[in-house]
Amino acid sequence: MVRAENVHKRFGFVEVLKGIDIEVRAGEVMVVIGPSGSGKSTFLRCINHLEKINAGRLWVDGELVGYQQRGDKLHELRDRDVCRKRAEIGMVFQRFNLFPHKTALENVTEAPVQVRRQSRRAATERARALLDQVGLADKASNYPSQLSGGQQQRVAIARALAMDPKLMLFDEPTSALDPELVGEVLQVMRDLAAAGMTMVVVTHEIGFAREVGDQLVFMDEGVVVESGAPRDVLANPQHERTKAFLSKVL
Ligand code: ADP
Ligand code: MG
């Protein structure tokens, strides 16, 4: 579902990704950990066509991200095509970014109606089912300000799912939450993984990584230092940098 080969990303003269190689199969959960500034968010943004890579190759579901290959030449996709591809990938951020003046239900129906041109009726029916799936059937008419952080994040997940994404990216989805609200969001993500969604999750929740992750990737300074089965990496890290990081978060 996702394949990165020697992906490089620079901002000006600063190289933030220095040759990332990863592969996520359909239905797998990859958990990415690493210190602040190591390039985790940038890498997610490259997968989601929000950043252009400077070198290497990146595919989502067999298609090059941002480019089309004709013969042996790469052609940049038009903005419209980039947007269309981006709509196939769900993204959940640390800050929930809900529309404050729309109810939970309206937040979930917005993109299917505006972008996918679904009928309001069909979109509403589906949104109610999704709110039910994330445990918020009774909050459909609440505004974000009337919801806890954990509830807002679950609305954000429902909103992403409303576009029927083939891949879900999570960028520290529980980092902005009060500790007692983290569990309810992780539970929704656990259910999603169990239902077969392909997911790339940047998180510091090591328990989630161990329990739900198929692969754990440790990034530092723009490279993948170490990756493997979560239990192996956590119990028996091979690199000093991984050991030092884990000793701080475990
Ligand atoms: P992480 O998510 O692991 O904390 P980021 O991907 O956010 O790391 O950032 C990696 C590095 O890239 C940081 O040094 C950050 O300052 C830099 N960076 C991120 N986005 C930009 C940008 N748009 N312009 C310039 N530098 C950026
Ligand atoms: Mg980040």
Side-chain angles (χ1 to χ4, degrees):
M1 184 60 71
V2 184
R3 184 178 165 97
E5 268 180 23
N6 198 25
V7 165
H8 288 254
K9 176 67 191 175
R10 284 189 305 272
F11 292 110
F13 294 112
V14 182
E15 192 163 48
V16 173
L17 300 178
K18 302 170 184 165
I20 302 287
D21 295 288
I22 58 112
E23 194 173 327
V24 189
R25 291 166 188 282
E28 263 188 4
V29 177
M30 174 184 280
V31 176
V32 182
I33 59 173
S36 177
S38 56
K40 306 180 299 295
S41 295
T42 302
F43 183 57
L44 285 190
R45 292 168 59 81
C46 290
I47 296 175
N48 202 20
H49 311 248
L50 289 165
E51 301 284 358
K52 280 214 178 89
I53 66 176
N54 299 109
R57 291 275 207 275
L58 182 54
W59 292 266
V60 171
D61 199 19
E63 293 186 30
L64 281 172
V65 170
Y67 295 89
Q68 190 178 37
Q69 188 156 6
R70 278 185 244 131
D72 52 6
K73 278 235 175 81
L74 290 186
H75 300 266
E76 259 184 46
L77 291 181
R78 290 169 304 175
D79 283 350
R80 199 168 44 133
D81 294 322
V82 170
C83 286
R84 193 168 45 76
K85 297 261 181 110
R86 189 180 298 141
E88 298 174 342
I89 302 171
M91 185 134 180
V92 175
F93 304 90
Q94 182 173 346
R95 299 253 155 232
F96 333 115
N97 301 328
L98 296 177
F99 301 114
H101 57 288
K102 289 185 187 293
T103 64
L105 187 78
E106 289 163 351
N107 265 281
V108 181
T109 57
E110 179 74 7
V113 170
Q114 299 300 331
V115 180
R116 288 274 162 80
R117 302 287 165 202
Q118 279 181 21
S119 74
R120 192 159 292 280
R121 189 147 169 236
T124 300
E125 197 172 313
R126 172 100 165 101
R128 288 199 185 279
L130 286 167
L131 287 175
D132 189 33
Q133 183 183 328
V134 301
L136 294 174
D138 57 336
K139 302 289 182 197
S141 44
N142 285 48
Y143 288 90
S145 62
Q146 301 168 319
L147 297 171
S148 73
Q151 290 169 337
Q152 289 183 61
Q153 191 61 300
R154 286 185 282 148
V155 173
I157 294 172
R159 179 177 60 175
L161 293 174
M163 293 293 274
D164 292 317
K166 47 174 117 175
L167 168 68
M168 285 283 285
L169 308 175
F170 293 86
D171 195 356
E172 302 199 30
T174 60
S175 297
L177 298 176
D178 291 331
E180 74 273 23
L181 303 178
V182 168
E184 64 193 52
V185 173
L186 292 180
Q187 186 56 46
V188 166
M189 293 168 62
R190 204 176 280 128
D191 293 345
L192 204 52
M197 179 61 77
T198 312
M199 299 166 41
V200 181
V201 183
V202 175
T203 185
H204 300 297
E205 295 294 330
I206 299 299
F208 177 86
R210 186 186 289 116
E211 206 188 312
V212 183
D214 296 294
Q215 291 187 64
L216 182 62
V217 168
F218 171 64
M219 274 180 72
D220 193 16
E221 296 183 0
V223 299
V224 172
V225 174
E226 175 159 4
S227 66
R231 275 167 214 282
D232 297 343
V233 176
L234 293 171
N236 194 16
Q238 299 298 303
H239 293 263
E240 284 309 319
R241 280 196 275 175
T242 319
K243 286 178 197 167
F245 179 76
L246 288 176
S247 73
K248 285 181 208 144
V249 298
L250 280 177

